[in-house]
Amino acid sequence: RDHCTKNSLDEKNALTLSEAYPTLDILSPELRKLCALHLTHTYLETIPYLSSKYLSADEQAEIALQCRTLEFAAGEHFSSHPEFGRGLLIFKNGFAFTSRNLTKTNLNWTRDQGGHAADANEVLVEDEYYKEKQIAYHFISFSKLLFVPRSAIMNALGKNPVAWKECARWRYFRATLILFSLKDDELKIP
């Protein structure tokens, strides 16, 4: 199964909005941004530092154009995309268990993921520190997700100091403390 998951991710499972909605390509750039925002707005609003409280419609549209749609079958798992790396997974439909590593056999936490990202804070933590304690998703039904690459998030926060100072840095601090407090032998989500 692991090999099949990697192959499905390598074989263009990550559809851009233009690939998922081909009519976007015939629109003008401004109209394309507006449509991309319309398609992803409800999902971006669930992430506090990507919401309209901190980001303008143009900034949200820039993120929306970098989003990908991922699909997973029951039994597959995911921790990062081979091409785009880490990012937020926002479930459009489906269900998954999460654990702290692909190597751990016990699944510590379950949650219906409808419309929300489970790791909205942890995506802010640097890759080097996060790798050993990363969240792995284990899908138990067909799932369709919106994937927001970490690079798009960090780029937006780098251009918007208010979003970073008032919201994201506190979430980064909380995620870092939680990850630091996890013992390697326990790896439980509080």
Side-chain angles (χ1 to χ4, degrees):
R1 253 188 257 173
D2 297 342
H3 182 65
C4 292
T5 299
K6 183 185 179 312
N7 285 344
S8 72
L9 287 173
D10 290 344
E11 293 171 1
K12 294 293 183 188
N13 181 15
L15 298 175
T16 64
L17 288 179
S18 293
E19 292 168 338
Y21 303 96
T23 54
L24 284 176
D25 287 336
I26 63 172
L27 302 174
S28 68
E30 287 303 313
L31 196 51
R32 184 179 305 127
K33 285 174 76 172
L34 181 65
C35 288
L37 178 60
H38 179 71
L39 290 168
T40 60
H41 187 261
T42 54
Y43 300 111
L44 294 178
E45 286 296 314
T46 64
I47 311 301
Y49 50 83
L50 299 181
S51 70
S52 56
K53 180 177 180 180
Y54 296 105
L55 300 182
S56 69
D58 281 339
E59 290 171 319
Q60 284 184 317
E62 299 250 344
I63 292 171
L65 288 171
Q66 296 178 55
C67 290
R68 303 285 189 262
T69 300
L70 300 177
E71 295 178 350
F72 294 95
E76 290 186 309
H77 63 81
F78 178 85
S79 57
S80 66
H81 194 277
E83 183 179 345
F84 306 110
R86 288 177 40 225
L88 290 175
L89 290 180
I90 304 171
F91 281 63
K92 292 182 175 184
N93 60 26
F95 189 80
F97 289 96
T98 58
S99 69
R100 277 289 169 183
N101 267 328
L102 293 175
T103 58
K104 293 291 179 184
T105 55
N106 67 351
L107 304 174
N108 298 322
W109 185 50
T110 62
R111 178 177 175 207
D112 183 299
Q113 304 287 342
H116 297 286
D119 59 347
N121 297 344
E122 293 181 14
V123 75
L124 300 170
V125 178
E126 294 85 357
D127 290 334
E128 299 78 31
Y129 182 70
Y130 182 74
K131 187 71 173 169
E132 66 187 40
K133 298 175 183 178
Q134 70 186 14
I135 290 178
Y137 295 87
H138 307 274
F139 300 96
I140 61 168
S141 67
F142 172 79
S143 299
K144 189 171 187 175
L145 304 96
L146 182 70
F147 177 75
V148 185
R150 182 178 188 273
S151 58
I153 295 167
M154 299 312 286
N155 188 29
L157 292 174
K159 293 178 182 177
N160 189 328
V162 173
W164 175 255
K165 288 179 183 177
E166 292 185 11
C167 185
R169 77 171 165 179
W170 301 111
R171 293 175 174 279
Y172 167 84
F173 182 65
R174 182 177 188 275
T176 304
L177 286 176
I178 289 171
L179 288 171
F180 182 74
S181 70
L182 294 174
K183 295 178 183 172
D184 291 332
D185 57 337
E186 291 178 2
L187 293 178
K188 292 181 184 175
I189 297 178

